[in-house]
Structure formats: structure tokens, C-alpha cells
Amino acid sequence: MEVILKKVDRLFKYFIYFISSISIVSLLAIIFFLVSKAIPLFSEYSIFDFVTKADWGPLDGKFGILAFIVTSCIVTVMSVLIALPIGLYSALFIQEVLPKKIAGSIIFMIEILAGIPSVIYGFFGLILIAPNLSKLLNLSRTTGVLVASIVLALMILPNLIVLTITSLKMVDPSIKSSAFALGANKVQVIFKTQFLHAKSGIIAAVFLSLARSLGETMAVVLVAGNSIALPTINNFLTYSGRTLTANIVQEASYATGAHLNALYATGVILFIFVSIINYAVLRFKKQGVK
């Protein structure tokens, strides 16, 4: 019997190694595929011009993606800035103030919101948020980066709240009890003990929200405006723009030759951005473990 158990353990270990190796091989295959398809572009067009020029015009042999990079960064950062205070305070209220039964029901509904397809959020923003925001702020157009940022903020809020609640739950209960024993009130315990001890997990949740916002496509296509332009001081929050992901989706169906290679190269740039964010998440998680 002992021999059989050892064989089963060994087989299970090999199975885990096999599954892990599939993930690694898949990642390497994706990287190789993107890079191999992007390299031919740079034999004719320099990498520096590719990321520093905003003159995207495939028919004229122009492949500058700076406008897409800037729009992606603006929309991503703005969406997180909108969602961050709402998400953090909502998570603190749900975890530390609400009764457990009510909190459980609300968390369940938030998790349902996280599963709604992004295109639904996009339609919601296009039909409801965009025209009303345009009337409220007296804007000349209904769609733009501000609307896109609000829609993305709504999309990342559920994950941000749930991950923050998870981080708060992982704080040692004795820390909270010790704070109360020293005479701290409820607010002091929440902000000076619970929040501080969960900060590494909360920061990781923020970076994951950044990655989700940066990689979103369909909702942004519907509400960002789709213009290939850089913002100015006067229209920084409301201009019509196109993100990296939106550009790939809108032009991949008919692109050929250098144009198609440029879209693959855009995917490489996007992959680099997401990899940097994921690396930051791992770093903060390791700091939390220490």
C-alpha cells in the first residue's frame, strides 16, 4: 500500500510539472510569435520612430503609435484614479462596518458585476453616461477619454473592492484586538492598523486594476471616440482618442504586409506594459509576505 501511495504521489507531482510547463511554453510561444511577426517592420521603420511619433498612416508607410500610447496611459490612469477612492472606502465599509450577513450579500452582488461582459459596460457608457455627461459639462462631443475613463472605472471597481476586502481579511485579528486594547477607536483601528497592514495587498490590487484597464478593448472602442490624435492643454480630459488595444482590433481584419507587422509590434508594446505591471504586483506581494 505504501508503494502504491508513493507512485501516486510521484505521478501527481509529474502531472503538476506537466501543467506548469504548458503555461510556461504557452507564454514563450506567444512572446516568440509576437516578436517574430513584429521584427520585419523594423527592417524598414525604426523602433524609435515607432514609439515616439504620432503619425499613424499605414497607406503612407507611417507607423507612429505615440498617440495610442498616450491615450492608453491617460485612460488607464484616470480610470484608476476615479475607481481608487470609491473602491478602497467601499471595501473598508463592507469589511469593517457592515454586519457580516449584509456584507456577504453585497460581496456576492459585486462579484456578479465583475462577470458582466465589457461590451455591456461599453453600451451603458455610450447610451447613458456619454450624452448625460456631455449635457452636464456642456461638451461639444459625447464620446471621449473622460467617458472611457468613467466606464473603465466602473469595470475595475468590482475586482478592486473584492481584492481589497481579501487583503483586509488576511490581516492578523490579534493586531485589531491589540489596537482596541490600547484605547484606539473604530476609525483609528481601520485606518491605522487594518489599512496599513493590508497595504501590500491593496497596492497589488491597484496594479491589477491598472492591467485590466490597460488591456480593455471593446468598451473603449465604443466610448473613447476613435480619433488618432494627441491631447492638448485645452482638451486633455475630453478629446477623442484611440488606445493601443482599440487600434489592433479595428485594423487587424484588413491589415496586410507592414501594416499587419505594425499591429503585431503594437501588441509587443502592450505586452511589455502589462508585464511591467505584473512584475510590480509580484514585488508588492513578496513585500507583503516578508
Side-chain angles (χ1 to χ4, degrees), residues 160-209:
L160 181 60
I161 293 172
V162 171
L163 291 172
T164 302
I165 290 174
T166 302
S167 300
L168 291 170
K169 286 181 178 179
M170 293 176 67
V171 177
D172 191 343
S174 63
I175 296 174
K176 186 176 181 179
S177 301
S178 300
F180 278 123
L182 291 172
N185 58 37
K186 185 73 172 180
V187 175
Q188 290 172 327
V189 169
I190 291 175
F191 288 99
K192 295 187 177 181
T193 58
Q194 296 291 96
F195 188 78
L196 289 179
H197 283 84
K199 65 180 180 180
S200 61
I202 294 172
I203 293 173
V206 172
F207 277 106
L208 287 173
S209 299

Side-chain angles (χ1 to χ4, degrees), residues 23-104:
S23 301
I24 296 172
V25 170
S26 299
L27 176 61
L28 293 176
I30 291 171
I31 294 173
F32 175 78
F33 176 76
L34 285 176
V35 173
S36 63
K37 292 292 186 178
I39 285 177
L41 173 73
F42 300 123
S43 62
E44 305 174 5
Y45 201 85
S46 73
I47 298 177
F48 181 79
D49 289 342
F50 183 68
V51 298
T52 59
K53 289 188 175 181
D55 57 352
W56 183 264
L59 295 178
D60 300 323
K62 297 178 180 180
F63 301 104
I65 63 168
L66 180 62
F68 309 141
I69 293 175
V70 172
T71 300
S72 294
C73 291
I74 290 174
V75 170
T76 299
V77 173
M78 282 177 58
S79 65
V80 173
L81 290 177
I82 294 170
L84 187 57
I86 301 172
L88 293 185
Y89 284 108
S90 298
L92 288 170
F93 180 75
I94 293 169
Q95 177 61 23
E96 301 296 334
V97 178
L98 285 180
K100 297 301 179 184
K101 290 184 178 180
I102 298 176

Side-chain angles (χ1 to χ4, degrees), residues 141-149 223-225 237-241:
R141 64 173 70 246
T142 56
T143 58
V145 295
L146 181 59
V147 178
S149 300
V223 297
L237 296 178
T238 59
Y239 82 102
S240 172

